[in-house]
Amino acid sequence: MARAAADAVRRIGIKLSALAQDGLAYAADDYDVDRYQQVGLLAAELLAVLSGRPADELAVELGRYSGYATPKIDVRGVIFDDRERVLLMREKTDGRWSLPGGWADPGDAPSAAVTREILEETGYHSSAVKLIACWDRELQANPPPLPVHVYKLFFLCRRDGAVQPPAALETLEIGWFDVHAPPPLSLGRVNHRQLERALAHHRDPSLPSEFD
């Protein structure tokens, strides 16, 4: 019950933050601007109580965004070898393993975003061949809870061209692993079920893309 209540309150905080962002985008006068700024600060305080992070730190993070509030897009690229092993990279941030990927940048098509991330983080040139899924992070059990709403786009990709050293800034090492026996995963980025669904799509590309 306590976990369910905390999740409900966090969702309210995220919606309040989005409401404040929308209001600031369309506010007609200084009074409205002030009210929506206060709503944004209250949202940050609410999320701070739940997360233990300082409210001013969360306010800065939430305040980076402007315009009408929409979910953030996280792209992940899945490449299998001829033994059905999946390509993973070990993250510098937590020392755990993940599919290559990250936030999509404005101006990038989703397929371009994911192949760029694969190249930067693993050194493999690739092409996106199928959208495996558009998953709502809230419904996919990817911890920890975040102060923003996230859609996760998983693409089935194939190797294409030469291999080069990965960018040293983000990646500790790369490797090929059995989906059913992976190394410790960075679960906020990818979980075991998502890897297993990716393997199912690799084995049967005719499967429909998944969502939610």
Side-chain angles (χ1 to χ4, degrees):
M1 287 293 292
R3 176 62 181 272
D7 285 344
V9 172
R10 183 176 58 84
R11 286 193 291 270
I12 291 169
I14 291 171
K15 290 181 179 180
L16 280 174
S17 177
L19 177 64
Q21 182 177 322
D22 294 346
L24 288 170
Y26 299 108
D29 54 50
D30 291 341
Y31 294 103
D32 285 343
V33 168
D34 180 66
R35 292 188 186 98
Y36 285 118
Q37 286 175 336
Q38 290 185 48
V39 171
L41 291 174
L42 288 172
E45 290 178 11
L46 191 63
L47 293 168
V49 170
L50 295 173
S51 67
R53 293 174 60 187
D56 55 352
E57 178 182 300
L58 282 168
V60 169
E61 183 174 330
L62 295 170
R64 292 192 183 114
Y65 311 112
S66 60
Y68 189 82
T70 61
K72 290 180 68 63
I73 304 298
D74 174 37
V75 295
R76 295 288 152 184
V78 191
I79 298 177
F80 290 97
D81 67 7
D82 55 8
R83 295 166 54 189
E84 294 191 335
R85 297 179 304 173
V86 67
L87 178 64
L88 299 178
M89 47 82 66
R90 192 154 72 92
E91 299 276 353
K92 277 195 170 181
T93 54
D94 61 8
R96 292 176 173 265
W97 294 80
S98 173
L99 293 170
W103 299 125
D105 291 334
D108 274 351
S111 60
V114 76
T115 55
R116 185 193 68 248
E117 291 286 342
I118 291 170
L119 179 61
E120 291 176 355
E121 296 184 344
T122 71
Y124 280 86
H125 290 265
S126 64
S127 299
V129 297
K130 179 186 179 182
L131 177 65
I132 294 170
C134 175
W135 280 317
D136 185 331
R137 191 180 188 277
E138 291 286 313
L139 304 178
Q140 289 291 313
N142 291 106
L146 296 179
V148 291
H149 197 178
V150 178
Y151 290 169
K152 298 175 72 67
L153 304 185
F154 280 62
F155 287 89
L156 187 63
C157 301
R158 65 167 176 260
R159 286 180 282 178
D160 182 15
V163 182
Q164 63 190 54
L169 292 177
E170 300 180 21
T171 304
L172 291 173
E173 57 184 311
I174 63 172
W176 296 89
F177 298 93
D178 183 337
V179 164
H180 303 297
L185 294 177
S186 182
L187 294 173
R189 296 173 173 88
V190 62
N191 60 35
H192 296 83
R193 177 187 174 276
Q194 290 162 343
L195 285 181
E196 290 171 358
R197 293 309 304 150
L199 178 59
H201 283 261
H202 169 70
R203 288 174 170 173
D204 183 2
S206 68
L207 287 175
S209 297
E210 302 178 17
F211 55 89
D212 295 352

